[in-house]
PDB file of all heavy atoms in Angstrom:
ATOM      1  N   ARG V  27      -3.778   2.806   3.035  1.00 96.00           N
ATOM      2  CA  ARG V  27      -4.247   3.249   4.376  1.00 96.00           C
ATOM      3  C   ARG V  27      -3.742   2.292   5.393  1.00 96.00           C
ATOM      4  O   ARG V  27      -3.737   1.066   5.202  1.00 96.00           O
ATOM      5  CB  ARG V  27      -5.788   3.266   4.397  1.00 96.00           C
ATOM      6  CG  ARG V  27      -6.320   3.796   5.685  1.00 96.00           C
ATOM      7  CD  ARG V  27      -7.843   3.759   5.739  1.00 96.00           C
ATOM      8  NE  ARG V  27      -8.374   4.510   6.860  1.00 96.00           N
ATOM      9  CZ  ARG V  27      -8.287   4.065   8.124  1.00 96.00           C
ATOM     10  NH1 ARG V  27      -7.766   2.949   8.384  1.00 96.00           N
ATOM     11  NH2 ARG V  27      -8.827   4.787   9.104  1.00 96.00           N
ATOM     12  N   PRO V  28      -3.409   2.761   6.592  1.00 94.00           N
ATOM     13  CA  PRO V  28      -3.022   1.839   7.686  1.00 94.00           C
ATOM     14  C   PRO V  28      -4.348   1.161   8.188  1.00 94.00           C
ATOM     15  O   PRO V  28      -5.419   1.784   8.223  1.00 94.00           O
ATOM     16  CB  PRO V  28      -2.528   2.755   8.806  1.00 94.00           C
ATOM     17  CG  PRO V  28      -2.294   4.084   8.193  1.00 94.00           C
ATOM     18  CD  PRO V  28      -3.104   4.160   6.955  1.00 94.00           C
ATOM     19  N   LEU V  29      -4.237  -0.120   8.509  1.00 94.00           N
ATOM     20  CA  LEU V  29      -5.337  -0.866   9.121  1.00 94.00           C
ATOM     21  C   LEU V  29      -5.309  -0.849  10.630  1.00 94.00           C
ATOM     22  O   LEU V  29      -6.329  -0.845  11.271  1.00 94.00           O
ATOM     23  CB  LEU V  29      -5.318  -2.318   8.611  1.00 94.00           C
ATOM     24  CG  LEU V  29      -5.549  -2.513   7.147  1.00 94.00           C
ATOM     25  CD1 LEU V  29      -5.321  -3.980   6.772  1.00 94.00           C
ATOM     26  CD2 LEU V  29      -6.942  -2.081   6.724  1.00 94.00           C
ATOM     27  N   ALA V  30      -4.051  -0.924  11.161  1.00 93.00           N
ATOM     28  CA  ALA V  30      -3.872  -0.927  12.638  1.00 93.00           C
ATOM     29  C   ALA V  30      -2.488  -0.308  12.914  1.00 93.00           C
ATOM     30  O   ALA V  30      -1.540  -0.501  12.110  1.00 93.00           O
ATOM     31  CB  ALA V  30      -3.945  -2.336  13.209  1.00 93.00           C
ATOM     32  N   GLU V  31      -2.372   0.374  14.013  1.00 90.00           N
ATOM     33  CA  GLU V  31      -1.080   0.965  14.406  1.00 90.00           C
ATOM     34  C   GLU V  31      -0.768   0.714  15.860  1.00 90.00           C
ATOM     35  O   GLU V  31      -0.815   1.624  16.736  1.00 90.00           O
ATOM     36  CB  GLU V  31      -1.129   2.499  14.138  1.00 90.00           C
ATOM     37  CG  GLU V  31      -1.307   2.809  12.682  1.00 90.00           C
ATOM     38  CD  GLU V  31      -1.180   4.284  12.371  1.00 90.00           C
ATOM     39  OE1 GLU V  31      -0.004   4.776  12.290  1.00 90.00           O
ATOM     40  OE2 GLU V  31      -2.208   4.939  12.207  1.00 90.00           O
ATOM     41  N   PRO V  32      -0.454  -0.545  16.216  1.00 90.00           N
ATOM     42  CA  PRO V  32      -0.039  -0.845  17.583  1.00 90.00           C
ATOM     43  C   PRO V  32       1.355  -0.269  17.887  1.00 90.00           C
ATOM     44  O   PRO V  32       1.998   0.259  16.973  1.00 90.00           O
ATOM     45  CB  PRO V  32       0.018  -2.397  17.631  1.00 90.00           C
ATOM     46  CG  PRO V  32       0.228  -2.773  16.185  1.00 90.00           C
ATOM     47  CD  PRO V  32      -0.425  -1.722  15.321  1.00 90.00           C
ATOM     48  N   ASP V  33       1.754  -0.293  19.119  1.00 86.00           N
ATOM     49  CA  ASP V  33       3.063   0.302  19.531  1.00 86.00           C
ATOM     50  C   ASP V  33       4.225  -0.263  18.758  1.00 86.00           C
ATOM     51  O   ASP V  33       5.215   0.469  18.541  1.00 86.00           O
ATOM     52  CB  ASP V  33       3.284   0.036  21.029  1.00 86.00           C
ATOM     53  CG  ASP V  33       2.341   0.852  21.888  1.00 86.00           C
ATOM     54  OD1 ASP V  33       1.734   1.840  21.370  1.00 86.00           O
ATOM     55  OD2 ASP V  33       2.142   0.478  23.030  1.00 86.00           O
ATOM     56  N   TRP V  34       4.175  -1.527  18.404  1.00 87.00           N
ATOM     57  CA  TRP V  34       5.314  -2.168  17.721  1.00 87.00           C
ATOM     58  C   TRP V  34       5.418  -1.964  16.244  1.00 87.00           C
ATOM     59  O   TRP V  34       6.342  -2.347  15.584  1.00 87.00           O
ATOM     60  CB  TRP V  34       5.329  -3.689  18.005  1.00 87.00           C
ATOM     61  CG  TRP V  34       4.026  -4.353  17.667  1.00 87.00           C
ATOM     62  CD1 TRP V  34       3.004  -4.614  18.584  1.00 87.00           C
ATOM     63  CD2 TRP V  34       3.602  -4.806  16.437  1.00 87.00           C
ATOM     64  NE1 TRP V  34       1.937  -5.201  17.910  1.00 87.00           N
ATOM     65  CE2 TRP V  34       2.289  -5.339  16.607  1.00 87.00           C
ATOM     66  CE3 TRP V  34       4.144  -4.828  15.134  1.00 87.00           C
ATOM     67  CZ2 TRP V  34       1.588  -5.886  15.588  1.00 87.00           C
ATOM     68  CZ3 TRP V  34       3.414  -5.359  14.114  1.00 87.00           C
ATOM     69  CH2 TRP V  34       2.139  -5.942  14.345  1.00 87.00           C
ATOM     70  N   GLY V  35       4.398  -1.328  15.577  1.00 88.00           N
ATOM     71  CA  GLY V  35       4.465  -1.124  14.130  1.00 88.00           C
ATOM     72  C   GLY V  35       3.225  -0.587  13.518  1.00 88.00           C
ATOM     73  O   GLY V  35       2.385   0.058  14.182  1.00 88.00           O
ATOM     74  N   ARG V  36       3.048  -0.917  12.277  1.00 91.00           N
ATOM     75  CA  ARG V  36       1.937  -0.403  11.507  1.00 91.00           C
ATOM     76  C   ARG V  36       1.577  -1.410  10.434  1.00 91.00           C
ATOM     77  O   ARG V  36       2.401  -1.776   9.572  1.00 91.00           O
ATOM     78  CB  ARG V  36       2.283   0.932  10.846  1.00 91.00           C
ATOM     79  CG  ARG V  36       1.146   1.513  10.028  1.00 91.00           C
ATOM     80  CD  ARG V  36       1.490   2.897   9.401  1.00 91.00           C
ATOM     81  NE  ARG V  36       2.670   2.861   8.538  1.00 91.00           N
ATOM     82  CZ  ARG V  36       3.832   3.422   8.766  1.00 91.00           C
ATOM     83  NH1 ARG V  36       4.023   4.067   9.927  1.00 91.00           N
ATOM     84  NH2 ARG V  36       4.805   3.344   7.945  1.00 91.00           N
ATOM     85  N   LEU V  37       0.333  -1.931  10.440  1.00 95.00           N
ATOM     86  CA  LEU V  37      -0.194  -2.848   9.438  1.00 95.00           C
ATOM     87  C   LEU V  37      -1.038  -2.063   8.451  1.00 95.00           C
ATOM     88  O   LEU V  37      -1.916  -1.263   8.876  1.00 95.00           O
ATOM     89  CB  LEU V  37      -1.020  -3.924  10.084  1.00 95.00           C
ATOM     90  CG  LEU V  37      -1.630  -4.983   9.189  1.00 95.00           C
ATOM     91  CD1 LEU V  37      -0.552  -5.806   8.545  1.00 95.00           C
ATOM     92  CD2 LEU V  37      -2.577  -5.879  10.008  1.00 95.00           C
ATOM     93  N   GLY V  38      -0.791  -2.188   7.134  1.00 96.00           N
ATOM     94  CA  GLY V  38      -1.527  -1.423   6.171  1.00 96.00           C
ATOM     95  C   GLY V  38      -1.795  -2.165   4.919  1.00 96.00           C
ATOM     96  O   GLY V  38      -1.352  -3.272   4.711  1.00 96.00           O
ATOM     97  N   PHE V  39      -2.621  -1.570   4.038  1.00 96.00           N
ATOM     98  CA  PHE V  39      -2.912  -2.142   2.740  1.00 96.00           C
ATOM     99  C   PHE V  39      -2.735  -1.083   1.650  1.00 96.00           C
ATOM    100  O   PHE V  39      -2.776   0.072   1.961  1.00 96.00           O
ATOM    101  CB  PHE V  39      -4.352  -2.717   2.719  1.00 96.00           C
ATOM    102  CG  PHE V  39      -5.414  -1.664   2.492  1.00 96.00           C
ATOM    103  CD1 PHE V  39      -5.877  -1.391   1.218  1.00 96.00           C
ATOM    104  CD2 PHE V  39      -5.937  -0.912   3.543  1.00 96.00           C
ATOM    105  CE1 PHE V  39      -6.818  -0.446   0.985  1.00 96.00           C
ATOM    106  CE2 PHE V  39      -6.885   0.048   3.335  1.00 96.00           C
ATOM    107  CZ  PHE V  39      -7.328   0.298   2.046  1.00 96.00           C
ATOM    108  N   ARG V  40      -2.624  -1.571   0.442  1.00 96.00           N
ATOM    109  CA  ARG V  40      -2.521  -0.688  -0.679  1.00 96.00           C
ATOM    110  C   ARG V  40      -3.171  -1.375  -1.900  1.00 96.00           C
ATOM    111  O   ARG V  40      -2.916  -2.560  -2.158  1.00 96.00           O
ATOM    112  CB  ARG V  40      -1.049  -0.362  -0.971  1.00 96.00           C
ATOM    113  CG  ARG V  40      -0.840   0.617  -2.115  1.00 96.00           C
ATOM    114  CD  ARG V  40       0.536   1.132  -2.152  1.00 96.00           C
ATOM    115  NE  ARG V  40       1.514   0.072  -2.520  1.00 96.00           N
ATOM    116  CZ  ARG V  40       2.536   0.280  -3.291  1.00 96.00           C
ATOM    117  NH1 ARG V  40       2.809   1.470  -3.777  1.00 96.00           N
ATOM    118  NH2 ARG V  40       3.378  -0.722  -3.594  1.00 96.00           N
ATOM    119  N   VAL V  41      -3.949  -0.676  -2.668  1.00 98.00           N
ATOM    120  CA  VAL V  41      -4.514  -1.103  -3.927  1.00 98.00           C
ATOM    121  C   VAL V  41      -3.811  -0.275  -5.018  1.00 98.00           C
ATOM    122  O   VAL V  41      -3.668   0.966  -4.884  1.00 98.00           O
ATOM    123  CB  VAL V  41      -6.041  -0.881  -3.973  1.00 98.00           C
ATOM    124  CG1 VAL V  41      -6.576  -1.245  -5.311  1.00 98.00           C
ATOM    125  CG2 VAL V  41      -6.707  -1.619  -2.871  1.00 98.00           C
ATOM    126  N   LEU V  42      -3.339  -0.950  -6.039  1.00 96.00           N
ATOM    127  CA  LEU V  42      -2.527  -0.226  -7.049  1.00 96.00           C
ATOM    128  C   LEU V  42      -2.829  -0.725  -8.415  1.00 96.00           C
ATOM    129  O   LEU V  42      -3.335  -1.845  -8.591  1.00 96.00           O
ATOM    130  CB  LEU V  42      -1.034  -0.363  -6.768  1.00 96.00           C
ATOM    131  CG  LEU V  42      -0.496  -1.838  -6.703  1.00 96.00           C
ATOM    132  CD1 LEU V  42       0.855  -1.907  -7.308  1.00 96.00           C
ATOM    133  CD2 LEU V  42      -0.410  -2.285  -5.252  1.00 96.00           C
ATOM    134  N   GLY V  43      -2.513   0.136  -9.399  1.00 97.00           N
ATOM    135  CA  GLY V  43      -2.710  -0.263 -10.751  1.00 97.00           C
ATOM    136  C   GLY V  43      -1.821   0.516 -11.720  1.00 97.00           C
ATOM    137  O   GLY V  43      -1.281   1.571 -11.319  1.00 97.00           O
ATOM    138  N   GLN V  44      -1.594   0.004 -12.859  1.00 97.00           N
ATOM    139  CA  GLN V  44      -0.774   0.708 -13.858  1.00 97.00           C
ATOM    140  C   GLN V  44      -1.273   0.289 -15.272  1.00 97.00           C
ATOM    141  O   GLN V  44      -1.654  -0.853 -15.508  1.00 97.00           O
ATOM    142  CB  GLN V  44       0.705   0.314 -13.721  1.00 97.00           C
ATOM    143  CG  GLN V  44       1.603   1.023 -14.694  1.00 97.00           C
ATOM    144  CD  GLN V  44       3.063   0.700 -14.493  1.00 97.00           C
ATOM    145  OE1 GLN V  44       3.425  -0.427 -14.087  1.00 97.00           O
ATOM    146  NE2 GLN V  44       3.954   1.610 -14.695  1.00 97.00           N
ATOM    147  N   LEU V  45      -1.203   1.233 -16.162  1.00 97.00           N
ATOM    148  CA  LEU V  45      -1.436   0.939 -17.551  1.00 97.00           C
ATOM    149  C   LEU V  45      -0.568   1.783 -18.423  1.00 97.00           C
ATOM    150  O   LEU V  45      -0.188   2.929 -18.021  1.00 97.00           O
ATOM    151  CB  LEU V  45      -2.905   1.094 -17.926  1.00 97.00           C
ATOM    152  CG  LEU V  45      -3.589   2.436 -17.748  1.00 97.00           C
ATOM    153  CD1 LEU V  45      -3.580   3.208 -19.048  1.00 97.00           C
ATOM    154  CD2 LEU V  45      -5.019   2.183 -17.315  1.00 97.00           C
ATOM    155  N   GLY V  46      -0.194   1.312 -19.558  1.00 97.00           N
ATOM    156  CA  GLY V  46       0.624   2.012 -20.490  1.00 97.00           C
ATOM    157  C   GLY V  46       1.331   1.155 -21.463  1.00 97.00           C
ATOM    158  O   GLY V  46       1.063  -0.040 -21.568  1.00 97.00           O
ATOM    159  N   SER V  47       2.285   1.760 -22.179  1.00 97.00           N
ATOM    160  CA  SER V  47       3.037   1.037 -23.175  1.00 97.00           C
ATOM    161  C   SER V  47       4.423   1.620 -23.351  1.00 97.00           C
ATOM    162  O   SER V  47       4.696   2.754 -22.938  1.00 97.00           O
ATOM    163  CB  SER V  47       2.261   1.139 -24.535  1.00 97.00           C
ATOM    164  OG  SER V  47       2.201   2.481 -24.920  1.00 97.00           O
ATOM    165  N   ILE V  48       5.270   0.823 -23.968  1.00 96.00           N
ATOM    166  CA  ILE V  48       6.634   1.270 -24.362  1.00 96.00           C
ATOM    167  C   ILE V  48       6.830   0.867 -25.819  1.00 96.00           C
ATOM    168  O   ILE V  48       6.633  -0.304 -26.168  1.00 96.00           O
ATOM    169  CB  ILE V  48       7.740   0.631 -23.518  1.00 96.00           C
ATOM    170  CG1 ILE V  48       7.535   0.929 -22.051  1.00 96.00           C
ATOM    171  CG2 ILE V  48       9.099   1.151 -23.959  1.00 96.00           C
ATOM    172  CD1 ILE V  48       8.546   0.317 -21.113  1.00 96.00           C
ATOM    173  N   ASP V  49       7.145   1.819 -26.664  1.00 96.00           N
ATOM    174  CA  ASP V  49       7.492   1.534 -28.033  1.00 96.00           C
ATOM    175  C   ASP V  49       9.051   1.602 -28.117  1.00 96.00           C
ATOM    176  O   ASP V  49       9.640   2.527 -27.520  1.00 96.00           O
ATOM    177  CB  ASP V  49       6.960   2.577 -29.017  1.00 96.00           C
ATOM    178  CG  ASP V  49       5.417   2.598 -28.994  1.00 96.00           C
ATOM    179  OD1 ASP V  49       4.828   1.535 -28.755  1.00 96.00           O
ATOM    180  OD2 ASP V  49       4.847   3.700 -29.162  1.00 96.00           O
ATOM    181  N   GLY V  50       9.642   0.679 -28.837  1.00 95.00           N
ATOM    182  CA  GLY V  50      11.099   0.711 -28.914  1.00 95.00           C
ATOM    183  C   GLY V  50      11.724  -0.311 -29.844  1.00 95.00           C
ATOM    184  O   GLY V  50      11.045  -1.194 -30.360  1.00 95.00           O
TER     185      GLY V  50
END
């Protein structure tokens, strides 16, 4: 989500995650 959107840009945050596996 953006936190602030002044004329010169956009400040935002993101929360992310991943889980899984690779066999090989």
Side-chain angles (χ1 to χ4, degrees):
R27 184 183 191 287
L29 295 173
E31 296 187 79
D33 292 341
W34 52 265
R36 180 177 61 246
L37 179 66
F39 81 94
R40 183 167 68 142
V41 177
L42 59 141
Q44 182 178 33
L45 58 95
S47 63
I48 302 177
D49 299 328

